[in-house]
Short mmCIF file of all heavy atoms in Angstrom, two decimals:
data_model
loop_
_atom_site.label_atom_id
_atom_site.label_comp_id
_atom_site.label_asym_id
_atom_site.label_seq_id
_atom_site.Cartn_x
_atom_site.Cartn_y
_atom_site.Cartn_z
N VAL A 1523 19.52 -27.39 8.57
CA VAL A 1523 18.92 -28.59 7.98
C VAL A 1523 18.74 -28.47 6.47
O VAL A 1523 18.68 -29.48 5.77
CB VAL A 1523 17.58 -28.90 8.65
CG1 VAL A 1523 17.77 -29.17 10.14
CG2 VAL A 1523 16.57 -27.77 8.44
N ASP A 1524 18.63 -27.25 5.95
CA ASP A 1524 18.44 -27.07 4.51
C ASP A 1524 19.13 -25.79 4.05
O ASP A 1524 18.48 -24.81 3.69
CB ASP A 1524 16.95 -27.02 4.17
CG ASP A 1524 16.69 -27.24 2.68
OD1 ASP A 1524 17.67 -27.27 1.90
OD2 ASP A 1524 15.51 -27.39 2.30
N PRO A 1525 20.47 -25.75 4.05
CA PRO A 1525 21.19 -24.54 3.65
C PRO A 1525 20.96 -24.17 2.18
O PRO A 1525 21.03 -23.00 1.82
CB PRO A 1525 22.65 -24.89 3.92
CG PRO A 1525 22.71 -26.38 3.88
CD PRO A 1525 21.39 -26.85 4.43
N TYR A 1526 20.69 -25.18 1.34
CA TYR A 1526 20.46 -24.88 -0.08
C TYR A 1526 19.23 -24.01 -0.25
O TYR A 1526 19.20 -23.08 -1.07
CB TYR A 1526 20.29 -26.19 -0.86
CG TYR A 1526 19.90 -25.97 -2.30
CD1 TYR A 1526 20.85 -25.59 -3.25
CD2 TYR A 1526 18.57 -26.12 -2.71
CE1 TYR A 1526 20.48 -25.38 -4.57
CE2 TYR A 1526 18.20 -25.90 -4.02
CZ TYR A 1526 19.17 -25.53 -4.95
OH TYR A 1526 18.79 -25.31 -6.25
N TYR A 1527 18.18 -24.28 0.54
CA TYR A 1527 16.95 -23.49 0.44
C TYR A 1527 17.19 -22.05 0.88
O TYR A 1527 16.72 -21.11 0.24
CB TYR A 1527 15.85 -24.13 1.30
CG TYR A 1527 14.51 -23.44 1.18
CD1 TYR A 1527 13.70 -23.65 0.08
CD2 TYR A 1527 14.06 -22.59 2.18
CE1 TYR A 1527 12.47 -23.02 -0.03
CE2 TYR A 1527 12.83 -21.96 2.09
CZ TYR A 1527 12.04 -22.18 0.97
OH TYR A 1527 10.83 -21.55 0.86
N MET A 1528 17.92 -21.86 1.97
CA MET A 1528 18.23 -20.51 2.44
C MET A 1528 19.05 -19.75 1.40
O MET A 1528 18.85 -18.54 1.20
CB MET A 1528 18.99 -20.58 3.76
CG MET A 1528 18.15 -21.10 4.93
SD MET A 1528 16.85 -19.95 5.43
CE MET A 1528 17.82 -18.75 6.35
N GLU A 1529 19.95 -20.44 0.73
CA GLU A 1529 20.73 -19.79 -0.32
C GLU A 1529 19.86 -19.45 -1.52
O GLU A 1529 20.03 -18.40 -2.15
CB GLU A 1529 21.88 -20.71 -0.74
CG GLU A 1529 22.79 -20.10 -1.79
CD GLU A 1529 23.92 -21.02 -2.20
OE1 GLU A 1529 24.02 -22.13 -1.61
OE2 GLU A 1529 24.70 -20.65 -3.10
N ALA A 1530 18.91 -20.33 -1.83
CA ALA A 1530 18.05 -20.11 -2.99
C ALA A 1530 17.16 -18.89 -2.81
O ALA A 1530 16.87 -18.18 -3.78
CB ALA A 1530 17.20 -21.36 -3.26
N ILE A 1531 16.71 -18.62 -1.58
CA ILE A 1531 15.84 -17.46 -1.35
C ILE A 1531 16.63 -16.22 -0.93
O ILE A 1531 16.04 -15.19 -0.62
CB ILE A 1531 14.78 -17.78 -0.27
CG1 ILE A 1531 15.43 -18.12 1.08
CG2 ILE A 1531 13.87 -18.91 -0.72
CD1 ILE A 1531 14.45 -18.41 2.20
N GLY A 1532 17.95 -16.33 -0.93
CA GLY A 1532 18.79 -15.16 -0.69
C GLY A 1532 18.87 -14.71 0.75
O GLY A 1532 18.92 -13.51 1.02
N LEU A 1533 18.88 -15.66 1.70
CA LEU A 1533 18.93 -15.31 3.13
C LEU A 1533 20.16 -15.88 3.81
O LEU A 1533 20.13 -16.17 5.01
CB LEU A 1533 17.67 -15.80 3.83
CG LEU A 1533 16.38 -15.01 3.55
CD1 LEU A 1533 15.22 -15.61 4.31
CD2 LEU A 1533 16.54 -13.54 3.89
N THR A 1534 21.24 -16.04 3.08
CA THR A 1534 22.46 -16.55 3.72
C THR A 1534 23.07 -15.51 4.66
O THR A 1534 23.83 -15.86 5.57
CB THR A 1534 23.49 -16.94 2.65
OG1 THR A 1534 23.71 -15.81 1.77
CG2 THR A 1534 22.99 -18.12 1.83
N ASP A 1535 22.76 -14.23 4.44
CA ASP A 1535 23.33 -13.18 5.28
C ASP A 1535 22.38 -12.75 6.39
O ASP A 1535 22.54 -11.69 6.99
CB ASP A 1535 23.67 -11.96 4.42
CG ASP A 1535 22.45 -11.39 3.69
OD1 ASP A 1535 21.45 -12.13 3.55
OD2 ASP A 1535 22.51 -10.22 3.26
N PHE A 1536 21.38 -13.58 6.68
CA PHE A 1536 20.39 -13.21 7.69
C PHE A 1536 21.03 -13.18 9.07
O PHE A 1536 21.84 -14.03 9.42
CB PHE A 1536 19.24 -14.22 7.68
CG PHE A 1536 18.12 -13.86 8.60
CD1 PHE A 1536 17.16 -12.95 8.22
CD2 PHE A 1536 18.04 -14.43 9.86
CE1 PHE A 1536 16.13 -12.61 9.08
CE2 PHE A 1536 17.02 -14.11 10.72
CZ PHE A 1536 16.06 -13.19 10.33
N SER A 1537 20.64 -12.16 9.86
CA SER A 1537 21.16 -12.03 11.23
C SER A 1537 20.05 -11.50 12.13
O SER A 1537 18.97 -11.12 11.66
CB SER A 1537 22.36 -11.08 11.26
OG SER A 1537 21.96 -9.76 10.95
N LYS A 1538 20.34 -11.48 13.42
CA LYS A 1538 19.35 -11.02 14.38
C LYS A 1538 19.03 -9.54 14.22
O LYS A 1538 17.99 -9.08 14.68
CB LYS A 1538 19.81 -11.31 15.81
CG LYS A 1538 21.11 -10.60 16.19
CD LYS A 1538 21.49 -10.95 17.62
CE LYS A 1538 22.79 -10.24 18.03
NZ LYS A 1538 23.18 -10.59 19.41
N ASP A 1539 19.92 -8.79 13.57
CA ASP A 1539 19.65 -7.38 13.34
C ASP A 1539 18.46 -7.18 12.40
O ASP A 1539 17.80 -6.14 12.44
CB ASP A 1539 20.88 -6.69 12.74
CG ASP A 1539 22.03 -6.60 13.74
OD1 ASP A 1539 21.74 -6.62 14.95
OD2 ASP A 1539 23.19 -6.51 13.30
N ASP A 1540 18.17 -8.18 11.55
CA ASP A 1540 17.01 -8.09 10.66
C ASP A 1540 15.70 -8.14 11.43
O ASP A 1540 14.67 -7.71 10.91
CB ASP A 1540 17.05 -9.22 9.63
CG ASP A 1540 18.21 -9.07 8.66
OD1 ASP A 1540 18.41 -7.95 8.16
OD2 ASP A 1540 18.92 -10.05 8.42
N LEU A 1541 15.72 -8.66 12.63
CA LEU A 1541 14.51 -8.77 13.45
C LEU A 1541 14.48 -7.74 14.57
O LEU A 1541 13.57 -7.77 15.41
CB LEU A 1541 14.41 -10.17 14.07
CG LEU A 1541 14.38 -11.34 13.08
CD1 LEU A 1541 14.40 -12.66 13.83
CD2 LEU A 1541 13.17 -11.25 12.18
N LYS A 1542 15.43 -6.82 14.56
CA LYS A 1542 15.52 -5.85 15.64
C LYS A 1542 14.29 -4.93 15.63
O LYS A 1542 13.86 -4.46 14.58
CB LYS A 1542 16.80 -5.02 15.49
CG LYS A 1542 17.06 -4.07 16.63
CD LYS A 1542 18.36 -3.32 16.42
CE LYS A 1542 18.64 -2.36 17.58
NZ LYS A 1542 19.91 -1.62 17.36
N ASP A 1543 13.74 -4.68 16.81
CA ASP A 1543 12.61 -3.77 17.02
C ASP A 1543 11.34 -4.23 16.32
O ASP A 1543 10.42 -3.42 16.09
CB ASP A 1543 12.96 -2.35 16.55
CG ASP A 1543 14.12 -1.75 17.31
OD1 ASP A 1543 14.28 -2.09 18.50
OD2 ASP A 1543 14.88 -0.96 16.73
N MET A 1544 11.23 -5.51 15.96
CA MET A 1544 10.00 -6.01 15.36
C MET A 1544 8.99 -6.36 16.45
O MET A 1544 9.33 -7.02 17.43
CB MET A 1544 10.28 -7.26 14.51
CG MET A 1544 10.86 -6.97 13.15
SD MET A 1544 10.81 -8.44 12.09
CE MET A 1544 11.35 -7.73 10.53
N ASN A 1545 7.75 -5.92 16.26
CA ASN A 1545 6.69 -6.27 17.21
C ASN A 1545 5.96 -7.51 16.71
O ASN A 1545 6.34 -8.15 15.73
CB ASN A 1545 5.73 -5.10 17.42
CG ASN A 1545 5.08 -4.65 16.12
OD1 ASN A 1545 4.98 -5.40 15.15
ND2 ASN A 1545 4.62 -3.42 16.09
N GLU A 1546 4.85 -7.85 17.39
CA GLU A 1546 4.15 -9.09 17.04
C GLU A 1546 3.54 -9.04 15.65
O GLU A 1546 3.46 -10.06 14.95
CB GLU A 1546 3.07 -9.40 18.09
CG GLU A 1546 1.82 -8.52 18.04
CD GLU A 1546 1.99 -7.22 18.80
OE1 GLU A 1546 3.14 -6.87 19.13
OE2 GLU A 1546 0.98 -6.55 19.06
N PHE A 1547 3.13 -7.85 15.20
CA PHE A 1547 2.56 -7.76 13.85
C PHE A 1547 3.64 -7.94 12.78
O PHE A 1547 3.40 -8.56 11.75
CB PHE A 1547 1.85 -6.42 13.67
CG PHE A 1547 0.50 -6.35 14.31
CD1 PHE A 1547 0.19 -5.37 15.22
CD2 PHE A 1547 -0.48 -7.28 13.99
CE1 PHE A 1547 -1.05 -5.30 15.82
CE2 PHE A 1547 -1.73 -7.23 14.57
CZ PHE A 1547 -2.02 -6.25 15.49
N ASP A 1548 4.82 -7.39 13.02
CA ASP A 1548 5.92 -7.58 12.07
C ASP A 1548 6.28 -9.06 11.94
O ASP A 1548 6.51 -9.56 10.84
CB ASP A 1548 7.15 -6.78 12.52
CG ASP A 1548 6.90 -5.28 12.52
OD1 ASP A 1548 6.22 -4.80 11.60
OD2 ASP A 1548 7.38 -4.60 13.44
N LEU A 1549 6.33 -9.74 13.08
CA LEU A 1549 6.66 -11.16 13.05
C LEU A 1549 5.52 -11.98 12.44
O LEU A 1549 5.76 -12.94 11.71
CB LEU A 1549 6.96 -11.66 14.46
CG LEU A 1549 8.15 -10.98 15.16
CD1 LEU A 1549 8.28 -11.46 16.60
CD2 LEU A 1549 9.45 -11.24 14.39
N ALA A 1550 4.28 -11.59 12.74
CA ALA A 1550 3.14 -12.29 12.13
C ALA A 1550 3.12 -12.10 10.63
O ALA A 1550 2.73 -13.00 9.88
CB ALA A 1550 1.83 -11.78 12.75
N ASN A 1551 3.53 -10.93 10.16
CA ASN A 1551 3.58 -10.67 8.73
C ASN A 1551 4.55 -11.63 8.04
O ASN A 1551 4.34 -12.02 6.89
CB ASN A 1551 4.01 -9.23 8.49
CG ASN A 1551 4.08 -8.86 7.02
OD1 ASN A 1551 3.26 -9.30 6.22
ND2 ASN A 1551 5.07 -8.07 6.66
N ILE A 1552 5.60 -12.02 8.75
CA ILE A 1552 6.58 -12.95 8.19
C ILE A 1552 6.07 -14.39 8.25
O ILE A 1552 6.16 -15.13 7.27
CB ILE A 1552 7.92 -12.83 8.95
CG1 ILE A 1552 8.52 -11.43 8.76
CG2 ILE A 1552 8.90 -13.90 8.48
CD1 ILE A 1552 9.74 -11.19 9.61
#
Side-chain angles (χ1 to χ4, degrees):
V1523 299
D1524 197 351
Y1526 174 78
Y1527 184 78
M1528 292 291 283
E1529 182 180 358
I1531 61 178
L1533 286 180
T1534 54
D1535 59 341
F1536 185 82
S1537 67
K1538 61 181 181 181
D1539 292 335
D1540 292 314
L1541 302 175
K1542 186 178 180 181
D1543 298 329
M1544 281 193 173
N1545 59 23
E1546 74 275 15
F1547 282 124
D1548 297 321
L1549 299 175
N1551 181 37
I1552 296 173

